[in-house]
Amino acid sequence: MTAPLPQLLTELDVELVDSTITDAGFFGAFVEAWDGSRVLSMPTGRSAFERDTAARMLLAERFGLDTPPVPAPLEVTRI
């Protein structure tokens, strides 16, 4: 999880795409399709730090990595 985000996404075989969701409370979504492809959808217009941090939190949650819990008031929801 300490690798640069582009390298981490490549290693985990995850495609990063821009989301059209503009809600200020939306930080991103990890989607695994039926065909096994993985997409991390992130809103545009956020700082590089915010985008990187949210991406790493979602990836850690999806891959069950031993990381600190997501800080309040953020939450990760599985559907």
Side-chain angles (χ1 to χ4, degrees), residues 9 12-19 28-33 35-42 58-59 62-63:
L9 293 169
L12 296 173
D13 194 26
V14 176
E15 177 185 5
L16 179 63
V17 299
D18 291 334
S19 173
F30 183 93
V31 179
E32 196 159 2
D35 65 1
S37 61
R38 300 170 174 156
V39 173
L40 183 59
S41 178
M42 304 289 295
L58 290 168
L59 292 169
R62 164 54 186 91
F63 291 100

Side-chain angles (χ1 to χ4, degrees), residues 3-74:
L5 187 58
Q7 180 183 339
L8 185 60
L9 293 169
T10 299
E11 289 174 10
L12 296 173
D13 194 26
V14 176
E15 177 185 5
L16 179 63
V17 299
D18 291 334
S19 173
T20 58
I21 298 173
T22 57
D23 184 313
F26 175 74
F27 288 87
F30 183 93
V31 179
E32 196 159 2
W34 292 105
D35 65 1
S37 61
R38 300 170 174 156
V39 173
L40 183 59
S41 178
M42 304 289 295
T44 59
R46 303 286 173 94
S47 72
F49 174 78
E50 206 173 37
R51 194 168 164 104
D52 186 86
T53 301
R56 290 174 191 278
M57 288 187 319
L58 290 168
L59 292 169
E61 177 68 24
R62 164 54 186 91
F63 291 100
L65 303 174
D66 186 22
T67 58
V70 175
L74 299 177

